[in-house]
Amino acid sequence: MHAYILRRILLIIPTLFGIMLLNFIIIQAAPGGPVERMLAQLQGLDTSAGTQIGGTQTSDTGSIQASTSSSDNAGQYRGARGLPPEFIDHIEQLYGFDQPAHKRFFIMLKNYLSFDFGESYYRDRTVIDLIIEKMPVSISLGLWSTLLIYLISIPLGIRKAIHHGSSFDVWTSVTIIIGYAIPSFLFAVILVVLFAGGSYWDWFPLRGLTSDNFDQLSWPGKILDYFWHIALPTLANVIGGFATLTMLTKNSFLDEINKQYVITARAKGLREKRILYGHIFRNAMLIIIAGFPAAFVTLFFTGSLLIEFIFSLDGLGLLGFEAVINRDYPVVFATLYIFTLMGLLLKLVGDVVYVIIDPRIDFESREF
């Protein structure tokens, strides 16, 4: 197992490199950039993420390729007309876009190896400080959502498998289909309209993870205030995520229930609970464990983006959304790097848990 873990850790390096390179190329090909955004603000033009580059479009978005004259250089930017070429060169140096794209990419990777993510272009703070500040919100939302999804989906899936074809299985399947059909962000909007002062009841707060007077509350009051604020965002995530896991659990248990070793155990006179939790459970849960890293990363990072935006939760999802809109490249690439690295490591953890639950699994013999 140790050799397998070492191989997987070594494979993380090229995988991470490939992901970062692909996203770097895509972002360079997208129109607009921090230099264009700054120049547009100075000229009073459009400062949105979709700011287009006027004149001759450069292949390296957000930077200017070396040209023969500063005046031609300035003319390549929308909003650059009337600004001194020296000032534009200063803006490029400020954002680090005076270097070629390939050189900037390898400088970025070199800094990322030591977890030096630089500073945000627009927040005047280091990226790592921003991530640490926003992380508690995303951790709260991701952990509670994941915990509730697994606490609901696994028992429900097991019961549906045991009572396959019954009325319970039918009406719960209808509920699951509805939950699967409604995206979590749309369900979040429905919750806001119904329970957060949208059009009906004003029972839950719409903004933030705590109240303004949180510091003045007693510790029981702080706990209640915290759960009062996180209830609707967590519920929106749970509704959007429990359907897939429930059906996965049911199908996994159904597949194991019909196998020969279960029939043999019943023929020996073992009780159904002993068969279910002593034999079927361990084998059926393997596929659930395999999907845990992906489910956790999805809920913890990408899945909470729109939820945080709708409920005005200042977490990593909202931070990443604003960074993409504002072309805050240090924040964009730093969050991508951290999330990807954590996802790859969690995948490895899932394989290790595989072996712990079922020692018959041998990853050492796998070919790469």
Side-chain angles (χ1 to χ4, degrees):
M1 189 62 183
H2 295 87
Y4 171 76
I5 294 175
L6 179 60
R7 291 199 301 268
R8 285 293 299 273
I9 292 175
L10 293 177
L11 279 174
I12 288 176
I13 298 174
T15 304
L16 191 60
F17 176 84
I19 293 173
M20 295 298 296
L21 177 61
L22 179 62
N23 283 273
F24 187 85
I25 293 173
I26 292 174
I27 288 181
Q28 298 308 303
V35 176
E36 287 89 341
R37 185 175 186 273
M38 175 62 71
L39 295 176
Q41 286 179 335
L42 293 173
Q43 296 289 72
L45 300 175
D46 181 21
T47 60
S48 64
T51 301
Q52 301 294 322
I53 301 175
T56 303
Q57 186 174 359
T58 60
S59 59
D60 182 14
T61 302
S63 65
I64 297 180
Q65 302 296 336
S67 57
T68 55
S69 67
S70 297
S71 59
D72 293 337
N73 194 28
Q76 291 181 350
Y77 288 109
R78 176 186 180 184
R81 294 170 179 80
L83 295 176
E86 296 80 7
F87 179 75
I88 297 174
D89 292 338
H90 175 71
I91 296 296
E92 290 180 348
Q93 295 176 6
L94 179 66
Y95 290 122
F97 285 89
D98 55 331
Q99 302 288 341
H102 68 277
K103 187 173 182 179
R104 287 189 282 113
F105 176 72
F106 285 105
I107 291 175
M108 179 184 71
L109 289 185
K110 179 182 177 181
N111 293 333
Y112 281 14
L113 290 176
S114 59
F115 290 92
D116 178 13
F117 302 113
E119 293 189 0
S120 168
Y121 287 157
Y122 309 112
R123 295 175 181 261
D124 196 25
R125 295 184 60 186
T126 62
V127 176
I128 194 66
D129 287 341
L130 285 172
I131 293 175
I132 293 174
E133 179 187 342
K134 312 298 183 184
M135 189 171 288
V137 175
S138 295
I139 289 177
S140 297
L141 185 57
L143 285 180
W144 285 116
S145 299
T146 305
L147 178 63
L148 288 177
I149 286 174
Y150 273 77
L151 287 177
I152 294 172
S153 299
I154 293 177
L156 180 59
I158 294 174
R159 187 171 180 184
K160 284 175 65 63
I162 296 173
H163 301 283
H164 178 62
S166 65
S167 58
F168 172 81
D169 183 38
V170 172
W171 70 261
T172 52
S173 295
V174 173
T175 305
I176 289 172
I177 292 173
I178 295 174
Y180 184 80
I182 302 177
S184 58
F185 71 89
L186 181 58
F187 192 77
V189 174
I190 295 174
L191 291 176
V192 170
V193 172
L194 292 177
F195 304 113
S199 300
Y200 295 91
W201 303 282
D202 190 7
W203 292 349
F204 293 92
L206 184 58
R207 294 180 176 274
L209 203 59
T210 57
S211 300
D212 294 335
N213 63 336
F214 182 78
D215 294 333
Q216 285 74 42
L217 298 174
S218 60
W219 68 265
K222 290 181 178 180
I223 294 176
L224 291 175
D225 183 75
Y226 167 76
F227 284 107
W228 183 44
H229 281 76
I230 205 171
L232 292 187
T234 302
L235 182 59
N237 262 344
V238 170
I239 294 297
F242 90 101
T244 302
L245 185 60
T246 300
M247 295 307 300
L248 181 64
T249 304
K250 176 191 173 181
N251 294 333
S252 178
F253 272 80
L254 278 178
D255 185 58
E256 294 295 327
I257 287 173
N258 296 322
K259 288 186 176 179
Q260 184 61 44
Y261 75 90
V262 177
I263 298 174
T264 304
R266 285 172 178 162
K268 290 181 178 180
L270 294 179
R271 293 183 303 171
E272 286 295 324
K273 285 189 177 181
R274 175 68 182 278
I275 297 173
L276 179 64
Y277 295 105
H279 298 275
I280 298 175
F281 186 83
R282 185 177 68 176
N283 295 326
M285 285 300 294
L286 288 176
I287 192 172
I288 311 301
I289 293 172
F292 174 77
F296 179 77
V297 171
T298 300
L299 282 173
F300 186 39
F301 301 119
T302 59
S304 62
L305 190 153
L306 291 176
I307 301 297
E308 290 181 7
F309 181 77
I310 292 171
F311 289 98
S312 300
L313 298 176
D314 197 11
L316 292 174
L318 186 59
L319 175 66
F321 176 79
E322 293 177 347
V324 172
I325 293 298
N326 294 325
R327 298 295 195 268
D328 198 347
Y329 292 161
V331 176
V332 172
F333 286 115
T335 51
L336 173 67
Y337 179 85
I338 293 174
F339 297 171
T340 304
L341 181 60
M342 290 186 66
L344 294 172
L345 292 175
L346 284 174
K347 182 63 176 176
L348 176 58
V349 171
D351 290 345
V352 174
V353 176
Y354 252 168
V355 177
I356 294 174
I357 292 179
D358 191 351
R360 296 172 299 175
I361 297 177
D362 182 19
F363 287 111
E364 295 286 351
S365 60
R366 291 181 60 177
E367 297 291 339
F368 287 86

